[in-house]
DNA sequence: CTTGTTGTTACTTAAAAAGTAACATGATTG
DNA sequence: CAATCATGTTACTTTTTAAGTAACAACAAG
């Protein structure tokens, strides 16, 4: 609610579809896992579909990934669901008559682009496959701990 | 939520104080350069002061940097003005009964931390001095172009 | 045909940032 | 000292974006 959880929820959806691919993949079932509502799930799935990451069929709860999880990066998902994919934002209303106000926008844009690139490089290095593997790893550790 | 310009405005303030250190450094003058209002400027200056980056004296418009611009990084400023300095946010309301919902929070936290570190390394590599130099550079190019 | 699901859109609510205003406190100057 | 101006601080309003909610058409399957 406060900050955007769209990336987190989108990863959740994709991981859910992979892990429960034999089970109920309805937006209602996924929404229960996210503790959210089916409308939000369907909206995120629409964004993932537009980005070419997900295939769906209207009327049936049969979503499938279009690529192997190892070929889907966090950056792919991030760009799919965040319309404004920039992490830092320049104040685009500064006084052009002032030495600072007249130049700082371009100055900061270059600086922020460098930060953005560093973050995106890291996002690109993390695959959905590695996230799913980590989820399984944590799950197995829990089950071992319970025994 | 609106996008935050606090980092951009805070850099603006510090650059302004350096570049116009002989001129009018009142919050009103700075606010005109940002095309904002004195209250916002004073609030950001309070955050910069709390972070030890800025020294001010109540009643007088005489703010000064506590360190050389080369010793102040974008990361320093970012942490000073952004109370929640995290760029990506985990959805902390997921169903613990589900394999995905019960583990994805920790999984994503690790992944997001890696992205955060990459971004912060880049923020730390950019100094206020280099930003000010770039502002001057652009200003001089403009003046050359006008002649 | 009936039921259930997706796809889509409109609307409402919530949260964070920016804008605004007011005022106490401190400094400066005539 | 009094007037003026600046900062420091706080409360409140407005704006913006995401999440929550609801409704319904289109499609699939029994």
């Amino acid at each position: 609610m406060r900050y955007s959880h769209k990336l987190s929820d989108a990863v959740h959806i994709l991981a859910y579809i992979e892990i429960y691919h034999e089970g109920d993949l309805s937006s209602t079932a996924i929404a229960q896992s996210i503790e959210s509502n089916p409308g939000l799930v369907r909206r995120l799935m629409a964004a993932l579909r537009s980005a070419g990451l997900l295939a769906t069929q209207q009327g049936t709860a049969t979503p499938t990934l279009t690529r192997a999880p190892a070929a889907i990066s966090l950056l792919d998902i991030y760009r799919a669901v965040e319309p404004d994919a920039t992490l830092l934002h320049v104040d685009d209303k500064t006084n052009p008559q002032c030495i600072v106000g007249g130049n700082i926008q371009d100055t900061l844009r270059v600086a922020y682009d460098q930060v953005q690139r560093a973050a995106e490089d890291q996002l690109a290095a993390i695959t959905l496959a590695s996230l799913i593997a980590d989820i399984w790893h944590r799950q197995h550790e829990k089950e071992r701990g319970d025994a």
Side-chain angles (χ1 to χ4, degrees), chain A:
Chain A
M1 294 203 280
R2 300 208 282 270
Y3 297 100
S4 175
H5 299 147
K6 283 194 282 191
L7 176 59
S8 298
D9 290 344
V11 172
H12 194 137
I13 290 170
L14 296 174
Y16 191 98
I17 290 170
E18 268 295 291
I19 289 178
Y20 290 106
H21 64 276
E22 300 279 8
D24 181 0
L25 298 184
S26 68
S27 58
T28 303
I30 299 175
Q32 281 168 356
S33 175
I34 303 185
E35 291 190 350
S36 178
N37 58 81
L40 174 70
V41 172
R42 292 204 288 271
R43 258 180 297 175
L44 286 173
M45 288 175 73
L48 294 168
R49 177 161 33 79
S50 293
L53 301 179
L54 196 66
T56 60
Q57 190 184 16
Q58 187 171 8
T60 68
T62 57
T64 53
L65 304 194
T66 57
R67 304 206 294 262
I72 297 176
S73 72
L74 258 186
L75 181 59
D76 295 326
I77 306 170
Y78 180 62
R79 288 185 170 153
V81 297
E82 295 285 358
D84 173 13
T86 52
L87 296 166
L88 300 172
H89 299 87
V90 171
D91 185 347
D92 58 354
K93 189 174 71 66
T94 60
N95 189 341
Q97 305 298 328
C98 167
I99 295 176
V100 180
N103 297 289
I104 196 170
Q105 293 185 25
D106 289 335
T107 294
L108 284 179
R109 245 184 287 275
V110 171
Y112 290 177
D113 279 351
Q114 292 171 6
V115 176
Q116 184 80 25
R117 203 163 308 130
E120 292 194 353
D121 285 349
Q122 193 58 45
L123 282 169
I126 300 171
T127 67
L128 178 60
S130 70
L131 295 171
I132 292 174
D134 192 68
I135 289 171
W136 274 123
H137 176 69
R138 292 177 188 276
Q139 180 66 22
H140 292 147
E141 287 222 326
K142 271 188 199 167
E143 287 166 1
R144 191 143 34 120
D146 289 348

